[in-house]
Amino acid sequence: MWEIMSSRSTDAALLVDDQDTGPQGSVVLEARGAGKRYPGVIALDDVSISMRRGEIHALLGENGAGKSTLIGILSGITEPDSGEIIIDATPIKFSNAAQSQSVGITTIHQEQTLAPDLTVLENIFLGRELRRGSLLGRFLLDERAMRKRVEHLVEEFGLTAEDLRRPAGTLGALKQHAAQILKALAFDARVVILDEPTSGLADHERMSLFENMRRLRDRGVAILWVTHRLDELFGLADVITVLRDGRNVATVDPGTQTPDSLVRLMVGRRRSAVADNSSQARGTRWSGPEEEILRLESVSRAPLVRDVDLVVKRGEILGIAGIAGAGRTELARIILGADRADKGQISVNGKQVRIRNPRDAYNLGIAIVPEERKTQAVLGDFSLAKNISISDLSRVTRAGMIIDRSAERKLANVYVRDLEVKTSGIQQKIRNLSGGNQQKVVIARCLFTRPALMIFDEPTQGIDVAAKNEVYRLIYEFVDAGGGAIVISSELPELLRVSDRIVVMREGRVAGEVAAGPAQSEDERSDRAEVIMALAVRSSS
Amino acid sequence: MRIRERLANIAAVEGVVVALIFLAMIIFFSLSSPYFLGSQNLRNLFVESTFTVLLAAGTSYVLIVGGIDLSIGSVLGVSAGLTLLTMQKTNSLPLAIAVGLASGAAIGLLNGGLIAGMGINPFIVTLATLSIFAGGLNVLTTRAQLIGTPSKSFASLAQGSVFGLPSPVLITAIVVILLELVLIVTPFGRRIYAAGINDRAAHMAGVNLRRLRLQVYILSGAIAGLAGILLASKLNSVQPGLGSGYELTAIAAAVIGGVGLSGGQGSVWRSVIGALFLATLSQGMQLLSISSTWFTVVTGISIVAAIAFSRMTQRLAATVRPAASPPEPTQPEPEPSEDRTPAAAG
């Protein structure tokens, strides 16, 4: 039988363990003195890191610390200005991502990169399809061979043979991750870079992902794991590298560290510990009348939202919990008018309203900080000022039709200063900010409309600990001044921390409500967390 | 400062490159032919280019919002036909102008309604309306003799002059300046860019995409209608097939000027430069006695060259480190109480 594929990707080489690449613990990939400058910023400054076979190497750092740049360099997307990359003791230069892949480095990004309409199998072999042996067969795909190559891996990583035939877009986030892992393994990945793999996953899904990571490790794969969640690290990471301001400040053994000590390494001497005491962060609560801002009555939109009733009052933070697919984001989209409800009533400030589109919502005083900042919130080519003013241009418009640019800049600058956005100026393009600072600009955009109700959908997704605390502060300030907030989050500790009440959604319905609030003991908190998880996952009968 | 950096800084100013090439071309033609800078020739050049300039200006709105309008050529034809027909029947200039503009706007409304209201792909919608209204003009010209109207005032729209300037040039200049201003200084223009940069984000930020797109297509149709009125006045007759191919010239002009097809970038004046570039090229080739059959070949080459050149300058600008970049404002505050540096413990 004749195959067009290169010898590296024949069936015999499939199992990584079969490869003769040295024992567990030998260095596979190394970056030495890597540096990268962008206009006005040194993104990476003389960073060295080495990755070993069968090792989970965690990479920590605040937003803007240089993690993305380092990943970009290792995966061939970014060209370093200085330093070198060494594979199997040979220096190598990548000029594109394909070259990095061809030596066995696979990057699994924060955003899912599977083609949603192709099946999982097609995705796994995308661009590297196996073909039939005969002369004419070269033009035909050999689906059987492709299936055979991955089938023994399928169940191990939590997929079923049936899943291979389904379009990738119909799978949940966890299974999509598993598919990406298979994609890496089918082509002898020796290094797998996981860029915040757990964001967007519910707690029990994260556990399955960690199992998958351990399996990868057992196969001798070196894993570089970027995460913001310090609690995940212990017991899983074998070694931790911390970046700060583009430098490698420490490569440490997790056994010698605590979450607090890691935070100190990440933020330097600026902050001494995580401010994990919400009562401290929250200022004087709203003492005015607790009027209803929003009331939903049996709001439905088939099939994801069913008969939802809820109320948000002034000065209150309502958390919405639930696993992925419970209908939380869909509910937020209905409130915002991005989707229309099939039935049910929405009242704002006691008056029944129809919200036909987000414009209507903003006019009623409802604003949203959407999930997926990059695709749903950020206007990349716009300056900070233009990003902030876009939702309420009437505030800076003179004579009803002309934007007063200097007024716009001045006003936007007030928000940038209040929210402590780190930027070189109001005219900087938002694209060039770090994730946490982009998120602050999006919050500034909402505050700029002077809303009565703000919806925060996964507000701290993909941003670092310090930026998270600042986002919490902004939410508190908003409600303590008489606003109402809805916070949707997949991170239970976060919800328990910021919310006054938590509504749990399951399969589109409100499954129950749990009191939260600041003055809780640790025991009380974990009790509540258990109650919420039980409500969120209990199967309906 | 190294030459490379200087070049990069110059190229970084939007639209400068096309403008410079345009200037170089004018110098080349004026050296090659003594007639090129003659007042009669310049007059012809500007009058001939007004139609493309108008269409290109209107189409830049559509391109920036992230759409495309292929129907403008046939809108121009239909509007020209209806304008002349109204002139013939009523001899009322204001009514004829109103009919010309309204017919363009109405087709724009149809396009926009299908695209924004029903969510059909703009390429397909406007390809269909292009065909429908090109056919409509053919039907119209077989039913009515669209040749000539004795009205002097109608003729003066495109053939007269004001303060020595040809009136179509003056009209076009005013419209183009207005369009540029609206795009740059009004909330409407700002939302057009926002929708083009990231439509989902603009939507979540409260930009009413449906209404915005509808407005843009109506505007595009009305501008094409205006071009139709001027062309009818200039030719004083309307033939089947009038306006066909104009849409591609207009889009080519916008692309040469540097308006992106993916939305969110470009401006009206850049499209206008592109349109003038093409008109000058055509005129210059005539003066040099190059067969006009070569013109479309040169247009195609210009498009490719313009794109390739802008990619090159982008890359150049990206590799050169700007000298005058602002310093990073993030300075960690020293904390006196804690003196030990976090060292590697592993």
PDB file of all heavy atoms in Angstrom, chain A residues 265 269-270 358-359 362 375-376 378 391 401 403 405 408 422-423, chain B residues 184-186 190 198 200-201 203-206 329-330 335 338 342:
ATOM      1  N   LEU A 265       4.256  36.848  43.198  1.00  0.00           N
ATOM      2  CA  LEU A 265       5.197  36.773  42.075  1.00  0.00           C
ATOM      3  C   LEU A 265       4.604  37.439  40.831  1.00  0.00           C
ATOM      4  O   LEU A 265       5.296  38.120  40.090  1.00  0.00           O
ATOM      5  CB  LEU A 265       5.523  35.313  41.749  1.00  0.00           C
ATOM      6  CG  LEU A 265       6.457  34.592  42.715  1.00  0.00           C
ATOM      7  CD1 LEU A 265       6.535  33.120  42.354  1.00  0.00           C
ATOM      8  CD2 LEU A 265       7.837  35.222  42.673  1.00  0.00           C
ATOM      9  N   ARG A 269       5.730  43.643  43.886  1.00  0.00           N
ATOM     10  CA  ARG A 269       5.550  44.126  45.241  1.00  0.00           C
ATOM     11  C   ARG A 269       4.420  45.147  45.333  1.00  0.00           C
ATOM     12  O   ARG A 269       4.249  45.807  46.328  1.00  0.00           O
ATOM     13  CB  ARG A 269       6.845  44.729  45.750  1.00  0.00           C
ATOM     14  CG  ARG A 269       7.846  43.648  46.098  1.00  0.00           C
ATOM     15  CD  ARG A 269       9.124  44.247  46.559  1.00  0.00           C
ATOM     16  NE  ARG A 269       9.737  45.018  45.489  1.00  0.00           N
ATOM     17  CZ  ARG A 269      10.527  46.050  45.699  1.00  0.00           C
ATOM     18  NH1 ARG A 269      10.770  46.470  46.903  1.00  0.00           N
ATOM     19  NH2 ARG A 269      11.076  46.668  44.693  1.00  0.00           N
ATOM     20  N   ARG A 270       3.689  45.270  44.216  1.00  0.00           N
ATOM     21  CA  ARG A 270       2.653  46.294  44.233  1.00  0.00           C
ATOM     22  C   ARG A 270       1.507  45.942  45.164  1.00  0.00           C
ATOM     23  O   ARG A 270       0.994  46.754  45.881  1.00  0.00           O
ATOM     24  CB  ARG A 270       2.103  46.510  42.819  1.00  0.00           C
ATOM     25  CG  ARG A 270       3.013  47.369  41.976  1.00  0.00           C
ATOM     26  CD  ARG A 270       2.579  47.371  40.548  1.00  0.00           C
ATOM     27  NE  ARG A 270       2.956  46.119  39.899  1.00  0.00           N
ATOM     28  CZ  ARG A 270       2.502  45.758  38.714  1.00  0.00           C
ATOM     29  NH1 ARG A 270       1.643  46.488  38.088  1.00  0.00           N
ATOM     30  NH2 ARG A 270       2.906  44.647  38.172  1.00  0.00           N
ATOM     31  N   PRO A 358     -31.150  46.000  20.729  1.00  0.00           N
ATOM     32  CA  PRO A 358     -30.316  46.567  21.803  1.00  0.00           C
ATOM     33  C   PRO A 358     -30.463  48.089  21.923  1.00  0.00           C
ATOM     34  O   PRO A 358     -30.358  48.630  23.016  1.00  0.00           O
ATOM     35  CB  PRO A 358     -28.904  46.183  21.370  1.00  0.00           C
ATOM     36  CG  PRO A 358     -29.082  44.915  20.615  1.00  0.00           C
ATOM     37  CD  PRO A 358     -30.376  45.089  19.870  1.00  0.00           C
ATOM     38  N   ARG A 359     -30.736  48.760  20.817  1.00  0.00           N
ATOM     39  CA  ARG A 359     -30.924  50.204  20.880  1.00  0.00           C
ATOM     40  C   ARG A 359     -32.056  50.548  21.866  1.00  0.00           C
ATOM     41  O   ARG A 359     -31.913  51.434  22.697  1.00  0.00           O
ATOM     42  CB  ARG A 359     -31.250  50.720  19.472  1.00  0.00           C
ATOM     43  CG  ARG A 359     -31.443  52.202  19.313  1.00  0.00           C
ATOM     44  CD  ARG A 359     -30.129  52.950  19.310  1.00  0.00           C
ATOM     45  NE  ARG A 359     -29.907  53.557  20.608  1.00  0.00           N
ATOM     46  CZ  ARG A 359     -28.725  53.766  21.169  1.00  0.00           C
ATOM     47  NH1 ARG A 359     -27.631  53.400  20.562  1.00  0.00           N
ATOM     48  NH2 ARG A 359     -28.614  54.322  22.334  1.00  0.00           N
ATOM     49  N   TYR A 362     -30.824  50.120  25.423  1.00  0.00           N
ATOM     50  CA  TYR A 362     -29.994  51.229  25.902  1.00  0.00           C
ATOM     51  C   TYR A 362     -30.863  52.444  26.216  1.00  0.00           C
ATOM     52  O   TYR A 362     -30.629  53.145  27.194  1.00  0.00           O
ATOM     53  CB  TYR A 362     -28.903  51.582  24.890  1.00  0.00           C
ATOM     54  CG  TYR A 362     -27.724  50.634  24.945  1.00  0.00           C
ATOM     55  CD1 TYR A 362     -27.703  49.476  24.174  1.00  0.00           C
ATOM     56  CD2 TYR A 362     -26.660  50.875  25.789  1.00  0.00           C
ATOM     57  CE1 TYR A 362     -26.647  48.590  24.236  1.00  0.00           C
ATOM     58  CE2 TYR A 362     -25.582  49.995  25.865  1.00  0.00           C
ATOM     59  CZ  TYR A 362     -25.583  48.862  25.086  1.00  0.00           C
ATOM     60  OH  TYR A 362     -24.534  47.984  25.170  1.00  0.00           O
ATOM     61  N   THR A 375     -15.125  39.164  20.119  1.00  0.00           N
ATOM     62  CA  THR A 375     -16.060  39.130  19.003  1.00  0.00           C
ATOM     63  C   THR A 375     -17.310  39.950  19.256  1.00  0.00           C
ATOM     64  O   THR A 375     -17.951  40.395  18.312  1.00  0.00           O
ATOM     65  CB  THR A 375     -16.500  37.685  18.698  1.00  0.00           C
ATOM     66  OG1 THR A 375     -16.964  37.106  19.917  1.00  0.00           O
ATOM     67  CG2 THR A 375     -15.355  36.873  18.173  1.00  0.00           C
ATOM     68  N   GLN A 376     -17.680  40.166  20.527  1.00  0.00           N
ATOM     69  CA  GLN A 376     -18.967  40.805  20.767  1.00  0.00           C
ATOM     70  C   GLN A 376     -18.888  42.180  21.401  1.00  0.00           C
ATOM     71  O   GLN A 376     -19.903  42.834  21.571  1.00  0.00           O
ATOM     72  CB  GLN A 376     -19.821  39.912  21.666  1.00  0.00           C
ATOM     73  CG  GLN A 376     -20.095  38.586  21.017  1.00  0.00           C
ATOM     74  CD  GLN A 376     -21.328  37.941  21.593  1.00  0.00           C
ATOM     75  OE1 GLN A 376     -22.223  38.616  22.068  1.00  0.00           O
ATOM     76  NE2 GLN A 376     -21.381  36.636  21.539  1.00  0.00           N
ATOM     77  N   VAL A 378     -15.472  44.412  21.521  1.00  0.00           N
ATOM     78  CA  VAL A 378     -14.403  45.337  21.167  1.00  0.00           C
ATOM     79  C   VAL A 378     -14.496  45.768  19.706  1.00  0.00           C
ATOM     80  O   VAL A 378     -14.674  44.944  18.822  1.00  0.00           O
ATOM     81  CB  VAL A 378     -13.044  44.655  21.443  1.00  0.00           C
ATOM     82  CG1 VAL A 378     -11.926  45.361  20.752  1.00  0.00           C
ATOM     83  CG2 VAL A 378     -12.806  44.587  22.940  1.00  0.00           C
ATOM     84  N   SER A 391     -22.051  53.871  22.361  1.00  0.00           N
ATOM     85  CA  SER A 391     -23.407  53.488  22.761  1.00  0.00           C
ATOM     86  C   SER A 391     -24.295  54.682  23.082  1.00  0.00           C
ATOM     87  O   SER A 391     -25.497  54.539  23.206  1.00  0.00           O
ATOM     88  CB  SER A 391     -23.368  52.558  23.977  1.00  0.00           C
ATOM     89  OG  SER A 391     -22.856  51.313  23.592  1.00  0.00           O
ATOM     90  N   MET A 401     -26.320  66.894  15.291  1.00  0.00           N
ATOM     91  CA  MET A 401     -25.774  66.071  14.211  1.00  0.00           C
ATOM     92  C   MET A 401     -24.255  66.039  14.100  1.00  0.00           C
ATOM     93  O   MET A 401     -23.721  65.281  13.309  1.00  0.00           O
ATOM     94  CB  MET A 401     -26.366  66.512  12.882  1.00  0.00           C
ATOM     95  CG  MET A 401     -26.144  67.984  12.607  1.00  0.00           C
ATOM     96  SD  MET A 401     -26.967  68.521  11.111  1.00  0.00           S
ATOM     97  CE  MET A 401     -26.055  67.616   9.889  1.00  0.00           C
ATOM     98  N   ILE A 403     -20.535  65.438  15.856  1.00  0.00           N
ATOM     99  CA  ILE A 403     -19.817  64.956  17.030  1.00  0.00           C
ATOM    100  C   ILE A 403     -18.741  65.970  17.407  1.00  0.00           C
ATOM    101  O   ILE A 403     -17.912  66.342  16.587  1.00  0.00           O
ATOM    102  CB  ILE A 403     -19.168  63.586  16.748  1.00  0.00           C
ATOM    103  CG1 ILE A 403     -20.251  62.539  16.471  1.00  0.00           C
ATOM    104  CG2 ILE A 403     -18.306  63.151  17.920  1.00  0.00           C
ATOM    105  CD1 ILE A 403     -19.702  61.193  16.064  1.00  0.00           C
ATOM    106  N   ARG A 405     -15.583  66.407  18.826  1.00  0.00           N
ATOM    107  CA  ARG A 405     -14.522  65.456  19.150  1.00  0.00           C
ATOM    108  C   ARG A 405     -13.748  65.819  20.403  1.00  0.00           C
ATOM    109  O   ARG A 405     -13.307  64.935  21.128  1.00  0.00           O
ATOM    110  CB  ARG A 405     -13.542  65.361  17.973  1.00  0.00           C
ATOM    111  CG  ARG A 405     -14.147  64.647  16.811  1.00  0.00           C
ATOM    112  CD  ARG A 405     -13.043  63.976  16.053  1.00  0.00           C
ATOM    113  NE  ARG A 405     -13.536  63.517  14.776  1.00  0.00           N
ATOM    114  CZ  ARG A 405     -12.826  62.750  13.976  1.00  0.00           C
ATOM    115  NH1 ARG A 405     -11.599  62.415  14.309  1.00  0.00           N
ATOM    116  NH2 ARG A 405     -13.329  62.346  12.844  1.00  0.00           N
ATOM    117  N   GLU A 408     -15.778  64.812  23.243  1.00  0.00           N
ATOM    118  CA  GLU A 408     -15.773  63.350  23.309  1.00  0.00           C
ATOM    119  C   GLU A 408     -14.507  62.841  24.007  1.00  0.00           C
ATOM    120  O   GLU A 408     -14.562  61.994  24.891  1.00  0.00           O
ATOM    121  CB  GLU A 408     -15.855  62.786  21.885  1.00  0.00           C
ATOM    122  CG  GLU A 408     -15.883  61.269  21.825  1.00  0.00           C
ATOM    123  CD  GLU A 408     -15.829  60.752  20.397  1.00  0.00           C
ATOM    124  OE1 GLU A 408     -15.213  61.424  19.537  1.00  0.00           O
ATOM    125  OE2 GLU A 408     -16.389  59.677  20.137  1.00  0.00           O
ATOM    126  N   LYS A 422      -5.140  51.280  31.865  1.00  0.00           N
ATOM    127  CA  LYS A 422      -3.734  51.553  31.565  1.00  0.00           C
ATOM    128  C   LYS A 422      -3.572  51.731  30.065  1.00  0.00           C
ATOM    129  O   LYS A 422      -3.754  50.793  29.293  1.00  0.00           O
ATOM    130  CB  LYS A 422      -2.857  50.388  32.031  1.00  0.00           C
ATOM    131  CG  LYS A 422      -2.644  50.390  33.516  1.00  0.00           C
ATOM    132  CD  LYS A 422      -1.799  49.188  33.911  1.00  0.00           C
ATOM    133  CE  LYS A 422      -1.909  48.948  35.403  1.00  0.00           C
ATOM    134  NZ  LYS A 422      -1.510  47.575  35.731  1.00  0.00           N
ATOM    135  N   THR A 423      -3.231  52.931  29.646  1.00  0.00           N
ATOM    136  CA  THR A 423      -3.148  53.226  28.225  1.00  0.00           C
ATOM    137  C   THR A 423      -2.171  54.358  27.990  1.00  0.00           C
ATOM    138  O   THR A 423      -1.884  55.140  28.891  1.00  0.00           O
ATOM    139  CB  THR A 423      -4.541  53.610  27.666  1.00  0.00           C
ATOM    140  OG1 THR A 423      -4.392  54.114  26.351  1.00  0.00           O
ATOM    141  CG2 THR A 423      -5.198  54.670  28.523  1.00  0.00           C
TER     142      THR A 423
ATOM    143  N   ILE B 184     -17.503  61.599   8.480  1.00  0.00           N
ATOM    144  CA  ILE B 184     -16.458  61.861   9.480  1.00  0.00           C
ATOM    145  C   ILE B 184     -17.015  62.465  10.766  1.00  0.00           C
ATOM    146  O   ILE B 184     -16.577  62.111  11.858  1.00  0.00           O
ATOM    147  CB  ILE B 184     -15.377  62.811   8.890  1.00  0.00           C
ATOM    148  CG1 ILE B 184     -14.733  62.161   7.683  1.00  0.00           C
ATOM    149  CG2 ILE B 184     -14.322  63.163   9.923  1.00  0.00           C
ATOM    150  CD1 ILE B 184     -14.061  60.854   7.950  1.00  0.00           C
ATOM    151  N   VAL B 185     -17.982  63.379  10.657  1.00  0.00           N
ATOM    152  CA  VAL B 185     -18.351  64.116  11.869  1.00  0.00           C
ATOM    153  C   VAL B 185     -19.693  63.744  12.493  1.00  0.00           C
ATOM    154  O   VAL B 185     -19.969  64.180  13.605  1.00  0.00           O
ATOM    155  CB  VAL B 185     -18.338  65.656  11.645  1.00  0.00           C
ATOM    156  CG1 VAL B 185     -16.996  66.100  11.110  1.00  0.00           C
ATOM    157  CG2 VAL B 185     -19.459  66.088  10.719  1.00  0.00           C
ATOM    158  N   THR B 186     -20.518  62.967  11.810  1.00  0.00           N
ATOM    159  CA  THR B 186     -21.834  62.716  12.407  1.00  0.00           C
ATOM    160  C   THR B 186     -21.905  61.352  13.087  1.00  0.00           C
ATOM    161  O   THR B 186     -21.138  60.454  12.765  1.00  0.00           O
ATOM    162  CB  THR B 186     -22.949  62.758  11.338  1.00  0.00           C
ATOM    163  OG1 THR B 186     -22.752  61.646  10.462  1.00  0.00           O
ATOM    164  CG2 THR B 186     -22.926  64.046  10.542  1.00  0.00           C
ATOM    165  N   ARG B 190     -20.170  57.644  12.217  1.00  0.00           N
ATOM    166  CA  ARG B 190     -19.441  56.886  13.229  1.00  0.00           C
ATOM    167  C   ARG B 190     -19.990  55.468  13.329  1.00  0.00           C
ATOM    168  O   ARG B 190     -19.258  54.490  13.433  1.00  0.00           O
ATOM    169  CB  ARG B 190     -19.562  57.614  14.568  1.00  0.00           C
ATOM    170  CG  ARG B 190     -18.895  56.946  15.734  1.00  0.00           C
ATOM    171  CD  ARG B 190     -17.379  56.964  15.643  1.00  0.00           C
ATOM    172  NE  ARG B 190     -16.793  58.279  15.667  1.00  0.00           N
ATOM    173  CZ  ARG B 190     -16.577  59.007  16.767  1.00  0.00           C
ATOM    174  NH1 ARG B 190     -16.902  58.533  17.938  1.00  0.00           N
ATOM    175  NH2 ARG B 190     -16.033  60.189  16.682  1.00  0.00           N
ATOM    176  N   ASN B 198     -16.838  45.710  13.346  1.00  0.00           N
ATOM    177  CA  ASN B 198     -17.293  44.495  14.025  1.00  0.00           C
ATOM    178  C   ASN B 198     -18.800  44.609  14.220  1.00  0.00           C
ATOM    179  O   ASN B 198     -19.267  45.246  15.157  1.00  0.00           O
ATOM    180  CB  ASN B 198     -16.573  44.362  15.370  1.00  0.00           C
ATOM    181  CG  ASN B 198     -16.933  43.089  16.105  1.00  0.00           C
ATOM    182  OD1 ASN B 198     -17.918  42.420  15.768  1.00  0.00           O
ATOM    183  ND2 ASN B 198     -16.157  42.735  17.095  1.00  0.00           N
ATOM    184  N   ARG B 200     -21.131  42.477  15.104  1.00  0.00           N
ATOM    185  CA  ARG B 200     -21.740  41.889  16.308  1.00  0.00           C
ATOM    186  C   ARG B 200     -21.517  42.802  17.514  1.00  0.00           C
ATOM    187  O   ARG B 200     -22.422  43.020  18.320  1.00  0.00           O
ATOM    188  CB  ARG B 200     -21.133  40.516  16.589  1.00  0.00           C
ATOM    189  CG  ARG B 200     -21.613  39.466  15.620  1.00  0.00           C
ATOM    190  CD  ARG B 200     -20.917  38.162  15.875  1.00  0.00           C
ATOM    191  NE  ARG B 200     -21.413  37.488  17.079  1.00  0.00           N
ATOM    192  CZ  ARG B 200     -20.827  36.418  17.598  1.00  0.00           C
ATOM    193  NH1 ARG B 200     -19.753  35.926  17.047  1.00  0.00           N
ATOM    194  NH2 ARG B 200     -21.326  35.856  18.665  1.00  0.00           N
ATOM    195  N   ALA B 201     -20.289  43.319  17.615  1.00  0.00           N
ATOM    196  CA  ALA B 201     -19.996  44.197  18.753  1.00  0.00           C
ATOM    197  C   ALA B 201     -20.811  45.483  18.652  1.00  0.00           C
ATOM    198  O   ALA B 201     -21.345  45.964  19.647  1.00  0.00           O
ATOM    199  CB  ALA B 201     -18.509  44.512  18.806  1.00  0.00           C
ATOM    200  N   HIS B 203     -23.678  45.845  17.292  1.00  0.00           N
ATOM    201  CA  HIS B 203     -25.053  45.487  17.621  1.00  0.00           C
ATOM    202  C   HIS B 203     -25.236  45.437  19.145  1.00  0.00           C
ATOM    203  O   HIS B 203     -26.172  46.024  19.691  1.00  0.00           O
ATOM    204  CB  HIS B 203     -25.364  44.125  16.999  1.00  0.00           C
ATOM    205  CG  HIS B 203     -26.774  43.670  17.163  1.00  0.00           C
ATOM    206  ND1 HIS B 203     -27.841  44.388  16.704  1.00  0.00           N
ATOM    207  CD2 HIS B 203     -27.286  42.549  17.731  1.00  0.00           C
ATOM    208  CE1 HIS B 203     -28.963  43.734  16.989  1.00  0.00           C
ATOM    209  NE2 HIS B 203     -28.650  42.628  17.612  1.00  0.00           N
ATOM    210  N   MET B 204     -24.326  44.739  19.829  1.00  0.00           N
ATOM    211  CA  MET B 204     -24.423  44.627  21.285  1.00  0.00           C
ATOM    212  C   MET B 204     -24.246  45.994  21.944  1.00  0.00           C
ATOM    213  O   MET B 204     -24.698  46.208  23.057  1.00  0.00           O
ATOM    214  CB  MET B 204     -23.359  43.657  21.828  1.00  0.00           C
ATOM    215  CG  MET B 204     -23.561  42.218  21.429  1.00  0.00           C
ATOM    216  SD  MET B 204     -25.168  41.551  21.871  1.00  0.00           S
ATOM    217  CE  MET B 204     -24.835  40.794  23.449  1.00  0.00           C
ATOM    218  N   ALA B 205     -23.539  46.898  21.274  1.00  0.00           N
ATOM    219  CA  ALA B 205     -23.326  48.236  21.845  1.00  0.00           C
ATOM    220  C   ALA B 205     -24.486  49.164  21.519  1.00  0.00           C
ATOM    221  O   ALA B 205     -24.406  50.360  21.794  1.00  0.00           O
ATOM    222  CB  ALA B 205     -22.009  48.816  21.347  1.00  0.00           C
ATOM    223  N   GLY B 206     -25.531  48.636  20.908  1.00  0.00           N
ATOM    224  CA  GLY B 206     -26.719  49.450  20.700  1.00  0.00           C
ATOM    225  C   GLY B 206     -26.807  50.141  19.353  1.00  0.00           C
ATOM    226  O   GLY B 206     -27.644  51.021  19.171  1.00  0.00           O
ATOM    227  N   PRO B 329       2.785  53.810  30.401  1.00  0.00           N
ATOM    228  CA  PRO B 329       2.439  54.542  31.619  1.00  0.00           C
ATOM    229  C   PRO B 329       2.378  53.658  32.856  1.00  0.00           C
ATOM    230  O   PRO B 329       2.045  54.124  33.913  1.00  0.00           O
ATOM    231  CB  PRO B 329       1.043  55.075  31.294  1.00  0.00           C
ATOM    232  CG  PRO B 329       0.488  54.072  30.355  1.00  0.00           C
ATOM    233  CD  PRO B 329       1.638  53.462  29.612  1.00  0.00           C
ATOM    234  N   THR B 330       2.680  52.387  32.705  1.00  0.00           N
ATOM    235  CA  THR B 330       2.509  51.494  33.837  1.00  0.00           C
ATOM    236  C   THR B 330       3.809  51.345  34.606  1.00  0.00           C
ATOM    237  O   THR B 330       4.630  50.506  34.295  1.00  0.00           O
ATOM    238  CB  THR B 330       2.059  50.112  33.360  1.00  0.00           C
ATOM    239  OG1 THR B 330       3.060  49.630  32.444  1.00  0.00           O
ATOM    240  CG2 THR B 330       0.734  50.177  32.642  1.00  0.00           C
ATOM    241  N   GLU B 335       7.000  49.819  47.070  1.00  0.00           N
ATOM    242  CA  GLU B 335       6.341  49.682  48.360  1.00  0.00           C
ATOM    243  C   GLU B 335       7.422  49.513  49.421  1.00  0.00           C
ATOM    244  O   GLU B 335       8.102  48.500  49.458  1.00  0.00           O
ATOM    245  CB  GLU B 335       5.419  48.463  48.351  1.00  0.00           C
ATOM    246  CG  GLU B 335       4.203  48.645  49.230  1.00  0.00           C
ATOM    247  CD  GLU B 335       3.198  47.539  48.991  1.00  0.00           C
ATOM    248  OE1 GLU B 335       2.998  47.161  47.826  1.00  0.00           O
ATOM    249  OE2 GLU B 335       2.629  47.058  49.970  1.00  0.00           O
ATOM    250  N   GLU B 338       7.956  46.302  52.052  1.00  0.00           N
ATOM    251  CA  GLU B 338       8.391  44.956  51.685  1.00  0.00           C
ATOM    252  C   GLU B 338       9.640  45.065  50.832  1.00  0.00           C
ATOM    253  O   GLU B 338       9.590  45.516  49.704  1.00  0.00           O
ATOM    254  CB  GLU B 338       7.264  44.257  50.925  1.00  0.00           C
ATOM    255  CG  GLU B 338       7.357  42.770  51.016  1.00  0.00           C
ATOM    256  CD  GLU B 338       6.183  42.126  50.327  1.00  0.00           C
ATOM    257  OE1 GLU B 338       5.079  42.661  50.424  1.00  0.00           O
ATOM    258  OE2 GLU B 338       6.400  41.108  49.662  1.00  0.00           O
ATOM    259  N   PRO B 342      10.928  39.026  45.086  1.00  0.00           N
ATOM    260  CA  PRO B 342      10.501  37.633  44.912  1.00  0.00           C
ATOM    261  C   PRO B 342      11.498  36.894  44.024  1.00  0.00           C
ATOM    262  O   PRO B 342      11.631  37.209  42.850  1.00  0.00           O
ATOM    263  CB  PRO B 342       9.132  37.761  44.233  1.00  0.00           C
ATOM    264  CG  PRO B 342       9.094  39.141  43.685  1.00  0.00           C
ATOM    265  CD  PRO B 342      10.092  39.963  44.406  1.00  0.00           C
TER     266      PRO B 342
END
